Amino acid sequence: MELRAHLLEGQVIPAFPLALDARRKWSERHQRALARYYVEAGAGGLAVGVHSTQFEIRAPEHGLFRPVLELARETVAETLKRAPRPFALIAGVCGDTEQAVGEAEFARATGYDAALLSLTAVKDEPLERILAHVRRVADVLPVVGFYLQPAVGGRVFPYRFWREFADIPGVVAIKIAPFNRYQTLDVVRAVVEADRDDIALYTGNDDNIVSDLLTPFRFSSAPGAPVRRIVGGLLGQWGVWTRRAVEMLAEIKRARVGVEFPTEWLTRGVALTDINAAVFDAANGFAGVIPGIHEVLRSQGLMAGRWCLDPALELSPGQVDEIARVRAAYPEFNDDVFVAKNLDRWLT
């Protein structure tokens, strides 16, 4: 697989949730079922060891970072043997430079293709230090940048930062997730003005998924000015109802080819944002985001429960009712039938 070409084609890349049992111990059985589900749903990659996988997997008392990455790689490879196709394995990498480089080295040795680099641990450093941090990791493994919204631990970065970020040769993609249109534009413009048409742009803006994927971005009205698109998504949102996400992205790709696209897409975009608000618990500052993902997967049988490593992580009051509301309101977005048909086989 040529990684850049695969990412530029535009893929559905779910963030891999962590499957636990009622004792809050790792359930390898359900973890493998999730990996099989994502591959057979048509995802073009999997992001492992990221926020949805719970950063606590790195804690010594859990010791799950390496086992989860190894299980995901093994299960994906085993599942793809039946129908080989390109598939990007992306490892979440975080911490200070020593930790991030160490995690990237392990991911590379384990067979991962790229590192989704969280900057939370170094967000208070000067920009030059942060860029040096990125370069160190990119020397080990191709980097997918990550613009994380401040509400969940990110930082607002100026245009200048992203312009220099786009000059780093080892950057293969950027996941844009500031939940802010002005800041989204900073990243896209930086990549355009760096003339890096080999960097794939991916949405993580869960409040604007469809709009991001449909919009042609252009920063000059001059004839022949370059146009860039956000080509796919690397999303916790696509960790649920993934089959439908794959079908939706395929539809969007077809719609982008036409001169016009149906305005129905705007309505569908609002529906997906409403779904995301319920599952990710936007009303409570995203406090219930991981349990919300787990609740959907639990209801389908893909997880045994919605337990997290941190017992304090639970659904917010009223969140389960909100998830039930959007499930009933937008049945076309769920893939319950697909999961029910294959669940027993995935769990074996």
Side-chain angles (χ1 to χ4, degrees):
M1 179 189 71
E2 205 292 305
L3 178 64
R4 288 190 187 273
H6 181 64
L7 294 175
L8 286 165
E9 185 182 336
Q11 307 298 333
V12 167
I13 303 178
F16 201 32
L18 182 69
L20 302 178
D21 63 21
R23 299 173 301 146
R24 300 186 193 275
K25 300 298 183 182
W26 187 35
S27 172
E28 293 187 40
R29 176 174 177 244
H30 287 89
Q31 201 72 61
R32 289 189 186 278
L34 284 169
R36 292 164 180 154
Y37 162 54
Y38 294 131
V39 174
E40 294 193 20
L46 191 61
V48 186
V50 295
H51 175 249
S52 291
T53 324
Q54 301 175 50
F55 290 129
E56 292 89 345
I57 62 174
R58 296 164 169 83
E61 62 266 32
H62 301 304
L64 288 173
F65 178 72
R66 292 183 174 216
V68 170
L69 263 68
E70 289 170 342
L71 178 144
R73 190 263 303 162
E74 292 167 3
T75 308
V76 166
E78 166 199 284
T79 308
L80 285 171
K81 281 182 181 177
R82 291 192 289 272
R85 61 183 174 86
F87 193 94
L89 278 171
I90 299 174
V93 167
C94 65
D96 60 19
T97 302
E98 181 181 1
Q99 177 182 337
V101 168
E103 290 186 358
E105 288 173 341
F106 171 75
R108 181 183 63 187
T110 306
Y112 279 70
D113 302 294
L116 178 67
L117 182 57
S118 169
L119 300 177
T120 301
V122 296
K123 68 177 182 178
D124 296 326
E125 298 285 343
L127 296 182
E128 292 72 18
R129 291 276 300 277
I130 298 174
L131 289 164
H133 172 83
V134 177
R135 292 186 187 99
R136 285 283 307 281
V137 175
D139 286 341
V140 176
L141 199 61
V143 161
V144 177
F146 187 4
Y147 198 169
L148 179 65
Q149 62 159 321
V152 288
R155 167 181 172 176
V156 174
F157 288 103
Y159 166 82
R160 178 175 67 85
F161 173 82
W162 292 110
R163 179 61 185 80
E164 293 188 42
F165 191 101
D167 280 334
I168 298 173
V171 172
V172 292
I174 300 175
K175 169 183 171 170
I176 308 169
F179 287 26
N180 180 294
R181 308 315 293 159
Y182 299 114
Q183 292 157 19
T184 293
L185 291 179
D186 283 342
V187 179
V188 182
R189 184 165 68 92
V191 171
V192 168
E193 294 187 357
D195 197 25
R196 287 294 302 273
D197 57 6
D198 62 337
I199 292 179
L201 297 172
Y202 273 65
T203 185
N205 287 321
D206 300 290
D207 60 346
N208 239 298
I209 296 169
V210 171
S211 177
D212 276 355
L213 293 169
L214 284 169
T215 300
F217 292 85
R218 187 172 66 178
F219 297 95
S220 169
S221 58
V227 175
R228 287 298 301 269
R229 290 189 180 274
I230 293 173
V231 295
L234 196 165
L235 295 156
Q237 170 64 58
W238 284 355
V240 302
W241 301 336
T242 308
R243 181 72 167 185
R244 293 300 189 211
V246 169
E247 293 169 351
M248 185 185 76
L249 181 59
E251 286 185 69
I252 287 174
K253 287 180 179 180
R254 292 192 291 270
R256 290 192 308 218
V257 173
V259 176
E260 298 180 356
F261 64 85
T263 55
E264 172 64 18
W265 275 114
L266 302 177
T267 304
R268 291 174 71 177
V270 170
L272 187 53
T273 299
D274 191 19
I275 291 168
N276 181 264
V279 175
F280 276 28
D281 195 27
N284 296 287
F286 307 99
V289 54
I290 293 177
I293 293 169
H294 291 187
E295 173 62 16
V296 174
L297 296 170
R298 181 207 61 77
S299 71
Q300 294 180 305
L302 283 160
M303 296 182 78
R306 58 175 182 258
W307 307 288
C308 298
L309 291 172
D310 180 355
L313 276 181
E314 246 298 353
L315 295 175
S316 293
Q319 190 180 357
V320 70
D321 293 332
E322 275 295 284
I323 292 172
R325 176 185 67 82
V326 297
R327 181 190 289 275
Y330 312 110
E332 69 275 18
F333 280 85
N334 78 60
D335 61 0
D336 294 355
V337 173
F338 169 71
V339 172
K341 180 180 177 182
N342 295 284
L343 183 60
D344 288 344
R345 180 169 53 83
W346 293 336
L347 284 168
T348 56

